[in-house]
């Protein structure tokens, strides 16, 4: 039968509607190019339990009561027992509303996540806190060095330090006095390297770092900050 | 800040170790830490149900009751817990807020009860978490609407309290707005309704063809042309009534501008204007077309019925409230019409002698098909046309069916609201009656108690009648309070019956009824009031009894409604009737100023009542108005009474 153009179109439209209706009733599964999104769902039922209280007491320098308080807070915020990077960033950003703390939070996360499995469990959390709050000055400096050393190769390069510096300045936000200039982080990095880099080889090693910090009075004095945070 | 933020603060502070080596200046010293006690468990006892929580949990929100020192007011040292006499079920949600940082709204509780609990514990409603916020807001809005309706209904419904001295305008306006207030308004209401109906029926009937009586070729004419005079007279009458009503409403309206802009007045204008225009337009052919159009507008008189019918008003409100849905319906229909008309036109273009002469011509077909009318005056003949035509009718059903349920649900909601309002108005009368009953109940208890002579404290034994029932501590104190009030004002409480019959006794000049009431109170009050008012009161009673004051029965109604001070002269014995008027009063009421204040309030007409009152026998009467002469004996207690009477 000879169909006119319009008739052809009409017939095609009818066919298309028919196919759609069949699809709806599930009688006619069209070939899908990719898995439908609905099949994915995160197995978010991970639950991590920390080691026993005694073990943690041995590993860290916190008292039993302090551990209990810490855990209660931790569990309240993260019922699943672990913090992933997103959560971490979000938590940290609540303290710095004006600026953007996500980069620094990432660095922190990497520093806390000692086994590099992408999540911070309570043990990691408490271990880090123990070093910072209850450790010796050398321990703290060690921890700070670990934080700055982004690729964990034992030395801090200028690029790494620049990244860190920028992330810290980002936390300040836009409204500062005096107004932040573009080159402020870079200048700060230069100052830092001048102070820390003894042999002027462009990188700061751990020994240089600790040595220089111990000679710096300001830093030593400020270390007392952490004595009674908890 | 959320609850958890406080928990993570030590961590954030610890993380500052990363800034230490970079700092170019010394970091500030840490804030002094108060002796941190170990976290302790607090017990909160809410109506017997004990909740225990860490103190830190409550401290998270220091600007609430539980987080601040305000909770110390509720601390019970004996049991070592904080006791709140509130609903324990609701407290659960409040405490969960502290624990989780999210305030949830219970589904099965009354939203107002929840609000009250929130207010008590110092939580602002904005803290309701996102999961429950929508529902909370919806329920609250619904509640508020319903309560607002109540108030409106109350205000609109309370007719009778006509403020004294309202002008003709105000009375007229009230008569128009609430036809049930007076019979005249009701009559007017029905008359206008009748004339609207008559006018509409006349409009309809005058187009019916009437058989011409005795014409050779029986010609059919519309009735309007056969009896032009009759219809014209009827029309004129109706228009006159409508005009009169409109002008009266305009006159009575409290805000003329607003009235002019209101919908009902516009309808009125549109209803009567065509007539006047028709009067002044000459009947020549040029403008007769326009004249005919004008007559069409007469049909708008039917909308005047909306003042008489609530259903019509509801329909109007519904349409107004569904404006967006209607708009959507219209828009989608228009889109579909244009699309399908275009398609049908091109589909049918090839056919000869087709009805689909242009796209606008195809609009008619599309509309008729989409609304499933299917007149059949235009039908496609090609196959493509038929296919597209069938798709058109199927989609028409869908497009129209979508917004209709929304409109229907809106209508149902508004209709039910109105029904509720009506029901509530009916229940209100019952409610008011019940309240009045309760009030009079307490007063009666007091009076009964007085009558039974239980009031005296310097009692003479016999007053303690055996029928004095045992009073609870509450009643005792309440009665004592009422008694104090009596002493203060030198008046006594009495019941309506005694009061009105006393008044009646006054007007009839009969002392007897009063003395009976007097003698029924042998001892008690007389003892107490002997030093205060009774003789004066008796005096005045005598005065008034002798007077020919025109105390109309109607006034008693007014007096009854005036609450508060009543006088009850309750002398002890007949002998006091002859007491001298000039006994010194050791009233505690320093009342000259008090009296003056009372006098100044109503403005007695100062007509017959005054003249008929005999002058006082030389009291300290130096008052301006003669109405006060009686009371110039110095019994200020009587003044309110006197003044009331004279204000009739």
């Amino acid at each position: 039968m000879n169909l006119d153009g319009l008739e052809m179109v009409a017939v095609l439209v009818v066919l298309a509607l028919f196919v759609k209706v069949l699809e709806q009733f599930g009688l006619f599964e069209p070939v899908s190019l990719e898995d439908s999104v609905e099949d994915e769902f995160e197995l978010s039922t991970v639950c991590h339990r920390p080691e026993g209280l005694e073990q943690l007491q041995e590993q860290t320098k916190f008292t039993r009561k302090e551990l209990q308080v810490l855990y209660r807070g931790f569990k309240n915020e993260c019922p699943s027992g672990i913090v992933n990077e997103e959560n971490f960033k979000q938590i940290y950003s609540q303290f710095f509303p004006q600026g953007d703390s996500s980069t620094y939070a990432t660095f922190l996360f990497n520093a806390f996540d000692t086994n590099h499995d992408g999540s911070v469990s309570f043990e990691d959390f408490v271990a880090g806190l123990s070093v910072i709050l209850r450790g010796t000055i050398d321990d703290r400096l060690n921890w700070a060095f670990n934080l700055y050393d982004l690729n964990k190769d034992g030395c801090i390069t200028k690029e790494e330090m620049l990244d860190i510096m920028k992330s810290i300045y980002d936390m300040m936000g836009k409204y500062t006095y005096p107004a932040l200039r573009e080159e402020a982080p870079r200048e700060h990095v230069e100052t830092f390297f001048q102070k820390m880099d003894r042999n002027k080889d462009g990188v700061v090693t751990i020994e240089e770092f600790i040595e220089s910090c111990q000679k710096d009075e300001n830093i030593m004095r400020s270390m007392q900050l952490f004595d009674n945070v908890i | 800040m959320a609850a958890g933020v406080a928990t993570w603060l030590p961590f954030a502070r610890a993380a500052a170790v990363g800034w230490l080596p970079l700092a170019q200046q010394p970091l500030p010293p840490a804030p002094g830490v108060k002796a941190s006690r170990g976290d302790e468990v607090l017990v909160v006892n809410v109506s017997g149900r004990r909740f225990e929580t860490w103190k830190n949990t409550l401290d998270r929100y220091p600007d609430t009751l539980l987080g601040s020192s305000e909770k110390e007011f509720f601390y019970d040292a004996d049991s070592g817990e904080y006791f709140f006499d509130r609903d324990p079920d609701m407290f659960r949600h409040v405490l969960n807020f502290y624990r989780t940082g999210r305030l949830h709204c219970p589904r099965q509780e009354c939203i107002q009860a929840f609000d009250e609990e929130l207010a008590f514990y110092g939580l602002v409603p904005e803290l309701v978490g996102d999961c429950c916020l929508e529902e909370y807001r919806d329920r609250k809005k619904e509640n508020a609407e319903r309560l607002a309706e109540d108030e409106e209904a109350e205000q609109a419904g309370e007719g009778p309290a006509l403020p004294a001295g309202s002008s003709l305008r105000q009375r007229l306006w009230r008569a128009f707005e609430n036809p049930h207030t007076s019979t005249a308004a009701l009559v007017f209401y029905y008359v206008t309704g009748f004339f609207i109906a008559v006018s509409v029926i006349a409009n309809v009937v005058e187009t019916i063809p009437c058989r011409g009586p005795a014409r050779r070729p029986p010609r059919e004419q519309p009735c309007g042309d056969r009896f032009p005079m009759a219809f014209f007279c009827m029309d004129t009458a109706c228009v006159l009534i409508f005009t009169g009503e409109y002008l009266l409403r305009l006159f009575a309206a409290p805000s003329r501008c607003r009235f002019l802009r209101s919908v009902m007045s516009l309808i009125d204008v549109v209803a009567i204007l065509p007539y006047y225009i028709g009067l002044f337009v000459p009947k020549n052919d040029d403008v007769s077309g326009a004249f005919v159009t004008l007559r069409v507008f007469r049909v708008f008189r039917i909308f005047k019925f909306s003042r008489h019918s609530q259903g019509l008003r509801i329909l109007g409100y519904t349409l107004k409230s569904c404006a967006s849905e209607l708009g959507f319906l219209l828009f989608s229909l228009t889109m579909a019409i244009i699309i399908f008309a275009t398609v049908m036109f091109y589909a049918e273009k090839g056919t000869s002698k087709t009805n689909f002469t242009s796209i606008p011509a195809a609009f008619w077909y599309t509309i008729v098909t989409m609304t499933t009318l299917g007149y059949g005056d235009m039908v496609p003949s090609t196959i493509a046309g038929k296919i597209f035509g069938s798709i058109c009718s199927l989609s028409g059903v869908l497009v129209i069916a979508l917004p209709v349920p929304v409109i229907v649900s809106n209508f149902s909601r508004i209709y039910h609201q109105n029904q509720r309002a009506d029901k509530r108005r009916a229940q209100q009368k019952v409610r008011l009656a019940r309240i009045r009953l309760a009030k009079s109940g307490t007063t009666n208890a007091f009076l009964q108690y007085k009558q039974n002579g239980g009031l005296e404290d310097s009692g003479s034994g016999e007053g303690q009648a055996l029928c004095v029932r045992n009073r609870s501590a509450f009643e005792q104190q309440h009665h004592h309070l009422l008694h104090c009030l009596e002493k203060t004002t030198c008046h006594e409480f009495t019941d309506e019956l005694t009061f009105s019959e006393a008044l009646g006794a006054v007007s009839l000049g009969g002392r007897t009824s009063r003395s009976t009431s007097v003698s029924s109170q042998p001892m008690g009050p007389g003892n107490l009031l002997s030093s205060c008012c009774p003789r004066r009161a008796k005096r005045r009673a005598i005065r008034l009894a002798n007077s020919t004051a025109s105390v109309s029965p109607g006034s008693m109604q007014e007096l009854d409604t005036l609450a508060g001070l009543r006088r009850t002269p309750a002398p002890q014995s007949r002998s006091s009737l002859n007491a001298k008027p000039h006994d010194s009063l050791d009233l505690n009421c320093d009342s000259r100023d008090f009296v003056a204040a009372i006098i100044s309030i109503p403005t007695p007409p100062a007509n017959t009542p005054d003249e008929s009152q005999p002058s006082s026998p030389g009291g300290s009467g130096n008052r301006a108005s003669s109405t006060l002469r009686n009371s110039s004996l110095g019994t200020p207690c009587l003044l309110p009474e006197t003044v009331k009477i004279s204000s009739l």
Side-chain angles (χ1 to χ4, degrees):
Chain A
M1 58 187 199
N2 46 345
L3 299 169
D4 288 336
L6 209 52
E7 282 178 9
M8 183 93 69
V9 171
V11 170
L12 283 176
V13 165
V14 167
L15 282 178
L17 285 177
F18 192 58
V19 163
K20 274 263 175 295
V21 165
L22 283 186
E23 239 179 52
Q24 277 301 98
F25 283 116
L27 299 173
F28 184 60
E29 293 286 340
V31 177
S32 54
L33 300 174
E34 60 203 32
D35 288 339
S36 57
V37 187
E38 291 140 23
D39 291 336
E40 295 176 11
F41 64 93
E42 290 176 17
L43 295 163
S44 59
T45 49
V46 181
C47 188
H48 180 93
R49 294 222 159 71
E51 307 166 7
L53 207 47
E54 287 76 17
Q55 279 162 300
L56 281 177
Q57 257 185 298
E58 287 168 23
Q59 288 168 8
T60 67
K61 302 203 184 67
F62 289 119
T63 67
R64 198 182 177 84
K65 263 203 165 319
E66 287 167 346
L67 282 172
Q68 281 177 336
V69 169
L70 278 174
Y71 187 68
R72 281 204 294 264
F74 187 84
K75 180 83 176 170
N76 219 7
E77 283 312 294
C78 317
S80 61
I82 52 169
V83 192
N84 58 10
E85 194 167 331
E86 271 311 305
N87 278 356
F88 198 87
K89 281 202 227 179
Q90 198 213 347
I91 290 169
Y92 204 68
S93 69
Q94 285 171 343
F95 294 102
F96 303 99
Q98 319 93 299
D100 173 27
S101 58
S102 51
T103 332
Y104 189 67
T106 315
F107 297 146
L108 272 183
F109 185 80
N110 291 333
F112 268 97
D113 184 15
T114 41
N115 52 2
H116 305 288
D117 59 356
S119 62
V120 168
S121 66
F122 183 64
E123 290 97 336
D124 299 334
F125 180 65
V126 157
L129 279 187
S130 164
V131 168
I132 300 174
L133 301 179
R134 297 277 187 267
T136 64
I137 295 196
D138 279 354
D139 289 339
R140 289 175 187 162
L141 291 175
N142 236 325
W143 200 91
F145 185 85
N146 199 24
L147 173 69
Y148 300 147
D149 188 10
L150 298 178
N151 53 3
K152 314 287 178 231
D153 61 353
C155 47
I156 310 176
T157 63
K158 273 200 183 164
E159 287 70 30
E160 287 174 343
M161 188 37 79
L162 189 57
D163 287 340
I164 300 261
M165 201 63 75
K166 275 208 201 129
S167 70
I168 295 182
Y169 274 84
D170 280 343
M171 281 199 286
M172 292 293 298
K174 207 168 52 163
Y175 304 107
T176 57
Y177 176 76
L180 270 182
R181 294 162 307 138
E182 273 293 319
E183 54 278 359
R186 187 168 288 282
E187 288 173 3
H188 200 153
V189 169
E190 291 300 325
T191 326
F192 177 75
F193 264 77
Q194 267 177 14
K195 203 167 38 150
M196 298 285 165
D197 194 5
R198 295 286 146 155
N199 55 3
K200 306 290 177 228
D201 57 355
V203 294
V204 176
T205 62
I206 179 85
E207 295 84 11
E208 289 175 338
F209 182 71
I210 295 187
E211 209 189 307
S212 319
C213 285
Q214 279 172 343
K215 296 218 180 75
D216 191 337
E217 279 180 16
N218 281 342
I219 297 180
M220 288 298 115
R221 210 173 329 145
S222 310
M223 279 289 173
Q224 292 164 16
L225 259 188
F226 302 105
D227 286 340
N228 42 21
V229 168
I230 288 191
Chain B
M1 299 234 287
V5 173
T7 328
W8 289 92
L9 187 58
F11 153 72
R13 292 179 67 194
V17 76
W19 310 335
L20 246 189
L22 307 178
Q24 288 167 338
Q25 302 164 354
L27 297 181
V33 62
K34 43 190 200 292
S36 55
R37 309 168 284 177
D39 210 357
E40 46 172 324
V41 172
L42 298 181
V43 181
V44 179
N45 182 352
V46 182
S47 300
R49 206 185 297 180
R50 285 191 168 68
F51 296 87
E52 304 187 12
T53 180
W54 295 110
K55 185 172 184 308
N56 279 353
T57 312
L58 296 181
D59 285 342
R60 284 186 194 153
Y61 297 98
D63 54 354
T64 57
L65 186 151
L66 289 172
S68 65
S69 58
E70 195 182 344
K71 64 177 182 279
E72 302 303 324
F73 283 100
F74 298 92
Y75 185 70
D76 180 10
D78 298 333
S79 51
E81 55 191 25
Y82 295 88
F83 182 75
F84 294 96
D85 193 13
R86 312 280 303 187
D87 190 350
D89 290 325
M90 298 281 206
F91 185 74
R92 196 168 60 85
H93 295 95
V94 169
L95 194 53
N96 276 342
F97 168 65
Y98 287 90
R99 293 175 180 145
T100 63
R102 273 182 292 279
L103 182 60
H104 295 282
C105 171
R107 299 267 153 108
Q108 68 276 20
E109 305 278 357
C110 171
I111 205 76
Q112 204 157 1
F114 184 64
D115 262 350
E116 285 168 8
E117 293 294 313
L118 286 188
F120 178 79
Y121 290 109
L123 302 174
V124 282
E126 280 74 34
L127 289 171
V128 175
D130 287 335
C131 40
C132 300
L133 191 58
E134 273 298 321
E135 197 197 317
Y136 174 76
R137 285 228 183 102
D138 285 342
R139 280 166 71 185
K140 206 155 167 206
K141 200 161 54 132
E142 207 184 324
N143 225 13
E145 272 178 9
R146 214 179 300 150
L147 290 178
E149 266 171 36
D150 263 355
E151 279 183 21
E152 270 182 38
E154 279 181 29
Q155 288 170 9
E158 58 190 40
L162 191 60
S166 65
S167 65
L168 177 68
R169 253 183 90 172
Q170 285 172 340
R171 282 215 298 272
L172 212 51
W173 183 248
R174 272 191 59 247
F176 276 130
E177 293 299 302
N178 302 330
H180 304 282
T181 45
S182 69
T183 27
L186 209 54
V187 162
F188 184 73
Y189 176 78
Y190 284 125
V191 161
T192 42
F194 173 71
F195 272 97
I196 297 174
V198 159
S199 162
V200 168
I201 293 177
N203 281 349
V204 167
V205 164
E206 76 179 355
T207 60
I208 299 179
C210 302
R211 199 73 62 81
R215 288 194 187 254
R216 225 54 52 74
R219 224 166 15 137
E220 293 218 343
Q221 259 184 333
C223 284
D225 291 342
R226 258 205 75 194
F227 308 101
M229 218 48 216
F231 281 103
F232 182 70
C233 292
M234 210 174 320
D235 209 17
T236 313
C238 295
V239 168
L240 280 177
I241 301 240
F242 297 151
T243 319
E245 181 203 353
Y246 181 69
L247 290 175
L248 274 180
R249 275 185 203 262
L250 191 59
F251 165 68
S255 154
R256 299 227 168 96
C257 292
R258 200 159 56 107
F259 174 73
L260 280 175
R261 284 199 305 253
S262 73
V263 174
M264 290 310 302
S265 92
L266 282 177
I267 292 178
D268 288 337
V269 167
V270 168
I272 60 181
L273 220 42
Y275 175 81
Y276 290 110
I277 296 182
L279 274 187
F280 297 121
V281 160
K283 273 216 177 68
N284 54 6
D285 290 331
D286 295 343
V287 291
S288 66
F291 183 65
V292 165
T293 319
L294 279 179
R295 305 190 83 182
V296 169
F297 280 94
R298 288 187 310 172
V299 81
F300 279 94
R301 286 180 198 161
I302 210 171
F303 283 115
K304 285 167 70 72
F305 265 132
S306 60
R307 272 210 189 91
H308 298 253
S309 153
Q310 207 182 10
L312 264 183
R313 276 202 298 269
I314 294 178
L315 195 58
Y317 286 149
T318 311
L319 291 178
K320 205 164 48 158
S321 71
C322 305
S324 67
E325 278 83 26
L326 286 177
F328 166 68
L329 174 63
L330 229 51
F331 176 68
S332 58
L333 268 181
T334 313
M335 258 179 27
I337 286 172
I338 294 179
I339 291 176
F340 280 108
T342 312
V343 168
M344 290 307 296
F345 171 70
Y346 283 112
E348 292 286 307
K349 197 161 181 219
T351 325
S352 58
K353 289 196 301 202
T354 181
N355 279 336
F356 294 82
T357 51
S358 66
I359 294 188
F363 280 170
W364 173 242
Y365 168 76
T366 317
I367 292 176
V368 166
T369 313
M370 280 187 93
T371 51
T372 69
L373 277 176
Y375 287 136
D377 52 352
M378 287 165 82
V379 281
S381 38
T382 59
I383 296 181
K386 288 187 177 156
I387 291 179
F388 285 116
S390 44
I391 298 179
C392 172
S393 64
L394 287 176
S395 65
V397 168
L398 284 176
V399 166
I400 292 184
L402 285 178
V404 167
V406 178
I407 298 176
V408 165
S409 76
N410 262 0
F411 179 79
S412 149
R413 185 174 57 94
I414 297 181
Y415 179 71
H416 283 306
Q417 272 180 8
N418 263 285
Q419 278 203 323
R420 248 207 320 263
D422 287 340
K423 242 192 288 186
R424 213 170 288 121
R425 239 169 287 160
Q427 285 171 357
Q428 198 157 352
K429 296 200 180 130
V430 178
R431 227 192 306 166
L432 285 176
R434 220 186 336 186
I435 292 175
R436 233 176 298 148
L437 197 61
K439 272 199 221 156
S440 63
T442 41
T443 323
N444 283 344
F446 183 53
L447 294 173
Q448 187 72 22
Y449 176 70
K450 273 199 329 192
Q451 279 191 1
N452 295 338
L455 248 189
E456 65 336 292
D457 27 29
S458 59
S460 63
E462 348 169 5
Q464 293 278 7
L466 302 163
C467 50
V468 171
R469 54 196 172 103
N470 279 333
R471 299 181 301 162
S472 63
F474 175 78
E475 274 189 7
Q476 278 182 11
Q477 292 164 9
H478 186 221
H479 291 168
H480 173 254
L481 187 65
L482 294 175
H483 191 45
C484 291
L485 186 58
E486 284 183 338
K487 294 300 290 283
T488 316
T489 57
C490 294
H491 284 69
E492 276 192 13
F493 291 108
T494 179
D495 55 6
E496 266 185 72
L497 206 53
T498 325
F499 180 72
S500 24
E501 71 185 21
L503 214 50
V506 161
S507 64
L508 299 174
R511 254 187 270 162
T512 48
S513 56
R514 283 192 8 86
S515 24
T516 50
S517 68
V518 159
S519 57
S520 70
Q521 310 176 40
M523 308 287 279
N527 279 336
L528 301 165
L529 295 177
S530 54
S531 65
C532 177
C533 314
R535 270 167 264 161
R536 311 290 168 251
K538 208 54 191 164
R539 212 69 178 140
R540 181 205 53 94
I542 298 170
R543 280 292 128 74
L544 286 175
N546 292 339
S547 77
T548 54
S550 53
V551 178
S552 60
S555 68
M556 289 212 289
Q557 294 273 343
E558 289 255 358
L559 294 171
D560 278 355
T561 58
L562 289 169
L565 307 175
R566 308 247 175 100
R567 101 273 161 282
T568 310
Q572 192 166 353
S573 58
R574 295 291 178 99
S575 58
S576 64
L577 292 178
N578 302 325
K580 292 221 181 93
H582 287 296
D583 288 354
S584 63
L585 292 169
D586 41 336
L587 279 175
N588 290 339
C589 21
D590 25 315
S591 23
R592 294 282 161 161
D593 313 328
F594 176 68
V595 154
I598 290 188
I599 292 169
S600 59
I601 296 169
T603 57
N607 285 334
T608 37
D610 299 346
E611 285 140 22
S612 51
Q613 281 168 4
S615 54
S616 69
S620 52
N622 47 358
R623 311 265 186 227
S625 88
S626 57
T627 62
L628 306 171
R629 238 172 265 149
N630 278 343
S631 42
S632 59
L633 297 171
T635 57
C637 330
L638 308 172
L639 272 168
E641 193 53 32
T642 321
V643 158
K644 280 178 216 167
I645 291 182
S646 60
S647 68
L648 298 171

